[in-house]
Amino acid sequence: MAIQIFGTGKCFETKKAQRFFKERRVDFQFIDLKEKGFSRGELESVLNALAREFPSKIQALDFMADSQSRDFTEFKYLDDTEKFEKLLENPLLVKTPVVRNTTEKKATLGYCPQVWKDWL
């Protein structure tokens, strides 16, 4: 199983996600969104994994955006076709942590230990 955790070093939810996997001795890769951000493929993979639980990809994109972010009001009024590009250029708009199971092509937003237990 290959786990990636996207977040920031100061995010408490991200730290809790890291601790969850460390306590279970599961190796993971941490990607700091302040330093690196998402590649187009990574963001598409997360979006596709989340879109399975939504009627449309646009609703999944809206769910990914953090309403507490400074730039959320700008994001909220964007045309649906521009939202993906906005998240790609400003990854700090995404709710954290984003935990991606690359083996099973699944992803979660936020702290979701019940889902992660199912992955193990």
Side-chain angles (χ1 to χ4, degrees):
M1 172 181 2
I3 300 292
Q4 290 182 316
I5 301 175
F6 296 87
T8 61
K10 292 185 178 184
C11 173
F12 292 112
E13 298 294 306
T14 300
K15 289 178 184 179
K16 287 175 18 181
Q18 290 174 326
R19 187 174 358 159
F20 175 89
F21 289 103
K22 281 180 186 174
E23 288 172 353
R24 286 153 184 81
R25 296 190 174 130
V26 175
D27 291 333
F28 61 87
Q29 176 187 15
F30 173 67
I31 295 97
D32 192 333
L33 292 176
K34 282 187 176 180
E35 293 176 15
K36 188 169 187 257
F38 290 101
S39 72
R40 181 173 295 279
E42 289 168 339
L43 189 57
E44 284 177 1
S45 175
V46 170
L47 179 60
N48 289 334
L50 293 173
R52 294 180 197 142
E53 300 178 28
F54 290 89
S56 72
K57 280 191 175 182
I58 298 303
Q59 288 179 328
L61 267 175
D62 288 337
F63 179 72
M64 288 178 71
D66 184 1
S67 61
Q68 304 300 313
S69 174
R70 288 184 297 144
D71 298 327
F72 180 74
T73 52
E74 179 184 330
F75 175 84
K76 184 169 65 170
Y77 295 110
L78 285 174
D79 185 58
D80 290 342
T81 59
E82 299 172 334
K83 288 183 176 181
F84 180 83
E85 293 300 324
K86 185 65 175 177
L87 290 180
L88 193 57
E89 72 184 44
N90 186 357
L92 297 179
L93 266 169
V94 177
K95 290 178 191 170
T96 55
V98 176
V99 179
R100 186 168 83 131
N101 180 340
T102 58
T103 307
E104 297 180 23
K105 299 190 189 263
K106 296 181 179 179
T108 61
L109 289 177
Y111 184 68
C112 305
Q114 297 304 328
V115 175
W116 304 332
K117 283 180 186 175
D118 291 341
W119 292 355
L120 305 176

